[in-house]
Amino acid sequence: MSAILHMVTFTLHTGKDNEEAEAFLEESRKVLTGIPGVGNFEVLRQVSTKNEHDYGFSMKFADQGAYEAYNAHPVHVKYVAEVWESKVRSFRETDLVAWE
């Protein structure tokens, strides 16, 4: 099975390029990179005017099993419930595998 590239773009309730946004991005980096299976984690800033979201996260999983384990991991579940849902105004997830 192919590796999965998981990306999410999002906009925060607090807006962009401010202390609150920076704190959220740094907290997210620390929490999410500590979950087993997360590889190539990147925090991204939107530069296109064609997308309504300000930021993005990108990470790679070895396979579907690693991705599912990440989604079910207690740290991820807690992060989504206690941080993500209160800070993120809108988002879109994309999960991709290489075309073979």
Side-chain angles (χ1 to χ4, degrees):
M1 168 142 281
S2 297
I4 296 173
L5 178 62
H6 173 68
M7 299 184 304
V8 59
T9 59
F10 57 92
T11 299
L12 300 171
H13 288 292
T14 61
K16 63 180 180 177
D17 300 332
N18 56 51
E19 289 182 23
E20 293 89 351
E22 295 296 318
F24 170 81
L25 297 172
E26 186 55 38
E27 177 184 10
S28 297
R29 179 194 317 267
K30 287 179 184 175
V31 170
L32 298 175
T33 58
I35 299 172
V38 173
N40 300 5
F41 185 88
E42 293 183 293
V43 176
L44 306 163
R45 187 173 187 278
Q46 184 63 254
V47 296
S48 173
T49 57
K50 297 176 185 178
N51 189 312
E52 67 185 63
H53 295 134
D54 299 320
Y55 299 104
F57 295 151
S58 175
M59 60 192 84
K60 199 167 199 175
F61 297 95
D63 54 30
Q64 185 68 33
Y67 178 59
E68 290 172 5
Y70 162 80
N71 275 320
H73 194 281
V75 170
H76 180 256
V77 172
K78 181 178 178 181
Y79 166 82
V80 169
E82 295 181 4
V83 179
W84 183 265
E85 290 181 0
S86 67
K87 306 283 184 182
V88 174
R89 186 181 65 171
S90 67
F91 71 97
R92 178 171 303 257
E93 287 188 42
T94 303
D95 298 309
L96 304 166
V97 296
W99 181 68
E100 298 178 20

